[in-house]
Amino acid sequence: INLNQVAYLPESILSFLEYFLNNTKYSNGYSLFFIATSVWGASNLFYQMIETAEIIYERRRPQTGAFKRVISILFMLIFIFFFVGSWFVLSFLKVVLSSIQDGFFSIFVKNLVLFFLPFLLILYINVWIPPIKPNIKKAIPGAVFTSLYWFISTFIFGIYVKYFSNLTEIYGALTLLLISILYLYILTNGLIIGFIINYNIQKKEGNI
């Protein structure tokens, strides 16, 4: 599968997905175990988001750690379904825009969708992750900031990796892993800042 011909995605993400798609050809009986442990490990990201939001909002949830773990896995599964759905949307968009001759319009629509799809996910996270759940309207400022942060960071990071980085020469086969961790670190910082923005707005309005 040539992912570049399927949907509009940053090059760093495409490389990461191609790696896993190519390796599925050699999967064996341990695939289910690998998937289960991967989902469990990936859910740690959402678990840490919950913990971070509790620190920012200065309030702990009454639920136990086991409950938070279950919620984290649920968030991870929702993220996977959202990602797959976005993939189909982007694939359909690429087919539609390929028939449009106006290059500026195609680029505008593509970037608008690339901003809007992550915004929906980020807005969902900003509503449900904090211990004090704001309504959708009050979660929008932090979600907008994080979406812009992700959009701009992805663009700049993609240029850096493609033209200015010599990570492959230094780290060899570990380059993909290093890039993925660094990219995830950048995106996570955007989420945390978004939480802080929403917290300060709610605190100023007297909702906390």
Side-chain angles (χ1 to χ4, degrees):
I1 300 175
N2 188 344
L3 298 178
N4 290 284
Q5 297 178 357
V6 179
Y8 297 108
L9 285 173
E11 186 174 346
S12 56
I13 296 179
L14 286 171
S15 300
F16 187 72
L17 291 174
E18 281 185 320
Y19 172 80
F20 283 102
L21 284 175
N22 291 332
N23 278 276
T24 54
K25 301 175 183 178
Y26 309 103
S27 60
N28 49 39
Y30 295 100
S31 296
L32 184 60
F33 175 78
F34 174 76
I35 292 173
T37 54
S38 297
V39 171
W40 177 269
S43 69
N44 284 328
L45 173 62
F46 291 93
Y47 188 90
Q48 293 303 320
M49 282 186 195
I50 294 174
E51 293 285 322
T52 301
E54 289 179 348
I55 294 173
I56 293 172
Y57 279 76
E58 301 176 336
R59 181 171 299 188
R60 306 291 294 185
R61 281 181 170 83
Q63 294 88 353
T64 63
F67 180 83
K68 293 179 185 178
R69 175 61 65 178
V70 172
I71 295 298
S72 301
I73 295 176
L74 179 61
F75 272 119
M76 184 62 202
L77 295 176
I78 292 174
F79 173 79
I80 293 173
F81 283 118
F82 178 87
F83 187 85
V84 172
S86 299
W87 184 275
F88 283 108
V89 171
L90 292 172
S91 301
F92 176 76
L93 176 67
K94 190 162 190 176
V95 172
V96 171
L97 292 182
S98 63
S99 61
I100 299 177
Q101 300 300 323
D102 190 342
F104 175 80
F105 177 77
S106 298
I107 294 174
F108 174 78
V109 172
K110 180 190 73 172
N111 288 319
L112 182 64
V113 173
L114 284 176
F115 173 84
F116 184 71
L117 287 177
F119 170 77
L120 292 178
L121 177 63
I122 294 167
L123 182 61
Y124 177 81
I125 290 175
N126 274 273
V127 170
W128 290 102
I129 289 290
I132 302 174
K133 295 179 176 56
N135 58 43
I136 294 179
K137 183 179 179 180
K138 295 185 181 299
I140 287 178
V144 170
F145 172 85
T146 302
S147 299
L148 288 172
Y149 179 96
W150 280 18
F151 188 83
I152 296 172
S153 298
T154 298
F155 178 74
I156 296 175
F157 186 71
I159 293 177
Y160 168 74
V161 170
K162 186 173 183 180
Y163 296 106
F164 301 102
S165 172
N166 60 346
L167 296 176
T168 303
E169 298 177 4
I170 299 175
Y171 297 100
L174 295 176
T175 301
L176 179 61
L177 177 61
L178 180 64
I179 290 176
S180 301
I181 294 174
L182 181 59
Y183 184 65
L184 183 61
Y185 172 76
I186 293 173
L187 299 187
T188 303
N189 282 338
L191 276 173
I192 293 174
I193 297 173
F195 289 156
I196 294 174
I197 290 174
N198 284 341
Y199 167 75
N200 287 326
I201 291 176
Q202 293 177 64
K203 188 175 183 179
K204 185 177 181 180
E205 294 177 350
N207 297 322
I208 298 179

